[in-house]
Amino acid sequence: LLFMVSALWAESAQTVAYMEYDPTDSTAAWYGTSGSRGVTGGHDLDGDGKMEVYAVHYGKGGGVVGMEYTGDGAMEIIWHSDTSSTTYSTGTRMVQVADLDGDGLKEVIFFRGYYTDDPNAGLYIYEADGTDNGFKDPVHYTLNGLGQIFNFNGVGAMGATRVEYFLVDDIDGDGTEELLVPFNGPSMVFDYGDTTETDTVSYEHSGDFFAIMSATGDLQSGFGTLVSEYTISPRDIDMGTVGPDHPLFGRDNRLGGGSPNTLTVSDLDGDGNKEMFCHVWNYFNNFVVEATGPDTYTIGDTTNVLVTYPDDHVCLMHPAAADLDGDGKDEVYISNYYTGHLWKVEDLDGEATTLTMDEFTILNDTTAGADPVSAIFGVAAADANGDGTKEIYVGSSYNTGDLIRWDGSEFTVFKTDTIDASFPEMFIAKMWPADIDGDGKEELIASIQGVPDSITIETETDTTTIANPHNWIIRVVKVGDVVSVKDLPVITPNDYKLAAAYPNPFNPTTVIEFTLPVNKEISLIVYNELGQEVTRLIDGKTYQKGSYSVTWNGTNALGKEVASGVYFYSLKYGNFTKTRKVTYLK
């Protein structure tokens, strides 16, 4: 066990954007949640050249919000997933973007819920429909539906399960992206009992397992489906595939036991074959699965390492892999939630699957005088300073410096803004590197959790509670030499304004005014009380941001006068609509 210490305090991280919400607005995406626990970015699903960010909300049933960099100094909320309730409100903890079925249309992928009897729990896959920020109806696999894919012991049972983190990667090099998921479920799940005259044998499998899945065919058409390429459990290495006479039958803890929590993709031994580095909540347990060919995986002579035994520690969010020392082999960097240590894992014997304790090194001293380096949450590898090499960034809490950088030789502790250190409950949970603004340098997109809706200001004579001015749920951070904050306003659906028509009631004409906060393709459509379209006053036309007015003369699409009655006019912009009513009197 090696111990390396080198730390430098600095403030040279620039927040170039943050997404917040109004804590008094019950319609806001993050209202009633504790912030966001997962984020991904740098995507362009609709092909309009504008980078998108997708973030989960931690609470309120779980779900995902899509945002787009408008290019004129703003981020716009463009989409929200289904908001149906779940019985476990904090089950959405990460989101990814992929093209699992290889049809050229990318998907937004995430999990919701926890319990198998919850019809809204499970895996959601929203595929882009080729329009401006448009999506098809989701493909939804319930937890029981996922159990049928794995079909352990020919039964397909699945216990209550949550997913903290997952990745998408073509790990086996077959040209198809795979879904890599750590399922944190029951220790063992009963499948069926086999009763003889003298005994009953229970056939079980572990609900704690890592899975690699892929798609066959078009998922949205109904002719494709997800299939299981590989499963492995730290508690049950055979996953129900051997009989009662086999020494591995039942719970064997062959790979150290515990609950799968997170993972990363690496090439620790530099042989060109990618590995799934598996991290388990059981004394900081780790083991490696290597892809050796298309749909082919091996644990070889895999050994696991209980790094912090007898202390039951864990990497709560996610590790990252990168070759910082340039030796042609990745290192894995993984944080300890309980101690704040950042560990480096490197291959020393030329075989990734044989982990040993001497391949784990602590990089930081968490008690170094007045300036400890505390690496607690998600880990990301990024070239955020644009020098051509990657660095390691770790999320932390605001009271100690919320962003930690390790460049291979020393630490730098950033505070990404001048936020009051009296809010230690706020922290960077997970991060994703992406070049959002197109300057050739990666920014760090960070999800912020533990954000209070209000703060209390105390003086000698009074105590006042006000809305928290730092309701920052997602932050885009640029690492540089200048300490400054440039706010990018967030455009919400409520920033589009549709005024009351005047006069109302009317005859022969009425004026409808609307305001656009950004340049946008819109439609303004009139409907009757049956929901039938009457006429389109604006049909898919792009307007510059600003205020406009349109006159309706009480006629339909054919130019004929409509009947007296109530009509509804709707402003459609992207995935959102605002509607008001007007009355026509002859």
Side-chain angles (χ1 to χ4, degrees):
L1 176 66
L2 299 179
F3 195 90
M4 300 172 60
V5 180
S6 179
L8 171 68
W9 274 84
E11 290 193 3
S12 55
Q14 176 187 11
T15 297
V16 297
Y18 63 81
M19 282 114 259
E20 59 185 333
Y21 75 98
D22 179 356
T24 65
D25 179 8
S26 62
T27 66
W30 284 281
Y31 180 86
T33 75
S34 64
S36 181
R37 196 174 174 102
V39 65
T40 183
H43 310 291
D44 184 14
L45 273 67
D46 58 358
D48 64 357
K50 300 175 183 178
M51 291 294 99
E52 300 148 11
V53 172
Y54 295 90
V56 310
H57 50 75
Y58 192 57
K60 208 170 69 173
V64 171
V65 180
M67 293 155 282
E68 185 175 69
Y69 183 67
T70 65
D72 58 355
M75 295 289 292
E76 180 182 10
I77 292 179
I78 55 171
W79 174 78
H80 197 295
S81 65
D82 173 48
T83 56
S84 59
S85 63
T86 60
T87 55
Y88 184 78
S89 65
T90 57
T92 304
R93 303 186 175 198
M94 188 57 191
V95 56
Q96 295 287 3
V97 169
D99 183 9
L100 291 176
D101 54 13
D103 63 358
L105 297 172
K106 290 193 174 183
E107 309 108 1
V108 175
I109 307 165
F110 58 94
F111 291 83
R112 299 182 73 212
Y114 175 67
Y115 299 105
T116 55
D117 61 356
D118 181 353
N120 294 325
L123 172 65
Y124 285 77
I125 303 174
Y126 283 85
E127 186 173 72
D129 65 7
T131 66
D132 183 26
N133 298 315
F135 288 88
K136 302 174 184 177
D137 291 337
V139 172
H140 174 213
Y141 291 89
T142 65
L143 290 178
N144 289 324
L146 290 173
Q148 293 300 311
I149 291 173
F150 300 119
N151 198 33
F152 298 122
N153 275 322
V155 175
M158 191 86 170
T161 304
R162 64 174 174 264
V163 175
E164 180 63 58
Y165 185 74
F166 67 98
L167 284 174
V168 175
D169 192 278
D170 181 13
I171 189 171
D172 60 356
D174 64 354
T176 300
E177 290 181 306
E178 284 85 29
L179 196 59
L180 285 66
V181 185
F183 287 103
N184 184 341
S187 296
M188 299 299 291
V189 176
F190 176 79
D191 292 316
Y192 67 93
D194 186 8
T195 302
T196 66
E197 293 182 358
T198 59
D199 197 10
T200 298
V201 177
S202 294
Y203 287 79
E204 301 175 309
H205 72 273
S206 178
D208 281 326
F209 64 97
F210 292 86
I212 300 176
M213 295 180 284
S214 61
T216 60
D218 184 359
L219 294 175
Q220 265 66 27
S221 70
F223 294 102
T225 188
L226 290 179
V227 296
S228 173
E229 292 189 5
Y230 185 78
T231 58
I232 189 72
S233 171
R235 300 185 190 272
D236 180 17
I237 197 169
D238 69 284
M239 291 301 285
T241 61
V242 299
D245 295 332
H246 196 283
L248 293 179
F249 179 75
R251 180 171 176 170
D252 53 64
N253 288 335
R254 166 70 172 75
L255 291 172
S259 299
N261 199 66
T262 191
L263 52 78
T264 193
V265 174
S266 60
D267 184 7
L268 283 169
D269 53 15
D271 65 357
N273 292 329
K274 292 182 179 180
E275 308 114 10
M276 179 170 64
F277 183 93
C278 304
H279 179 75
V280 184
W281 195 329
N282 192 46
Y283 309 110
F284 214 78
N285 185 17
N286 306 273
F287 63 89
V288 174
V289 173
E290 188 169 43
T292 57
D295 303 341
T296 305
Y297 306 91
T298 181
I299 58 172
D301 295 325
T302 288
T303 53
N304 69 286
V305 179
L306 305 176
V307 176
T308 62
Y309 185 84
D311 298 318
D312 191 12
H313 293 174
V314 70
C315 173
L316 190 61
M317 300 299 176
H318 59 92
D323 181 14
L324 263 64
D325 58 13
D327 66 353
K329 300 193 293 185
D330 285 339
E331 308 90 46
V332 169
Y333 296 86
I334 185 167
S335 57
N336 186 326
Y337 168 69
Y338 287 98
T339 66
H341 286 132
L342 179 64
W343 291 83
K344 180 177 74 170
V345 187
E346 58 183 333
D347 173 59
L348 298 179
D349 62 3
E351 178 50 62
T353 58
T354 56
L355 289 179
T356 57
M357 190 62 209
D358 62 347
E359 295 176 319
F360 288 76
T361 303
I362 292 178
L363 297 175
N364 59 317
D365 185 351
T366 59
T367 59
D371 296 334
V373 174
S374 187
I376 303 174
F377 298 110
V379 184
D383 181 16
N385 60 9
D387 66 357
T389 59
K390 290 187 180 294
E391 311 89 39
I392 297 299
Y393 294 87
V394 191
S396 192
S397 59
Y398 282 108
N399 60 336
T400 59
D402 60 320
L403 185 63
I404 314 297
R405 180 177 70 192
W406 169 254
D407 65 4
S409 60
E410 65 180 9
F411 282 97
T412 306
V413 181
F414 299 112
K415 288 189 175 181
T416 62
D417 213 318
T418 55
I419 193 167
D420 193 322
S422 63
F423 306 133
E425 66 270 26
M426 291 187 287
F427 59 89
I428 291 178
K430 297 185 176 82
M431 289 183 288
W432 194 267
D435 181 11
I436 292 295
D437 56 9
D439 67 351
K441 297 180 182 179
E442 289 182 313
E443 289 81 45
L444 293 167
I445 309 168
S447 57
I448 313 297
Q449 196 179 327
V451 183
D453 288 343
S454 59
I455 60 175
T456 301
I457 300 176
E458 296 182 358
T459 66
E460 293 182 358
T461 59
D462 195 18
T463 299
T464 304
T465 299
I466 65 171
N468 180 10
H470 295 285
N471 270 310
W472 298 342
I473 304 302
I474 302 297
R475 174 172 288 168
V476 182
V477 179
K478 184 180 291 294
V479 176
D481 297 326
V482 179
V483 182
S484 64
V485 177
K486 178 183 178 183
D487 298 343
L488 261 69
V490 177
I491 306 301
T492 73
N494 286 339
D495 291 320
Y496 289 79
K497 306 299 182 184
L498 180 62
Y502 65 91
N504 185 14
F506 77 96
N507 185 329
T509 62
T510 189
V511 176
I512 299 170
E513 294 181 343
F514 59 91
T515 299
L516 308 179
V518 294
N519 304 341
K520 198 71 174 178
E521 180 182 306
I522 64 166
S523 293
L524 185 60
I525 307 173
V526 179
Y527 299 91
N528 61 24
E529 288 185 285
L530 298 177
Q532 298 167 327
E533 184 176 314
V534 174
T535 188
R536 291 189 171 228
L537 303 177
I538 301 173
D539 187 10
K541 182 179 178 181
T542 299
Y543 282 73
Q544 302 298 303
K545 64 179 179 180
S547 296
Y548 300 88
S549 63
V550 175
T551 299
W552 182 38
N553 62 4
T555 62
N556 62 20
L558 299 177
K560 295 183 179 181
E561 184 180 6
V562 299
S564 296
V566 175
Y567 293 85
F568 298 88
Y569 57 98
S570 295
L571 178 67
K572 295 182 178 292
Y573 47 101
N575 292 304
F576 301 98
T577 301
K578 283 195 170 182
T579 301
R580 304 192 73 149
K581 68 180 180 179
V582 65
T583 301
Y584 179 66
L585 296 177
K586 285 188 176 180

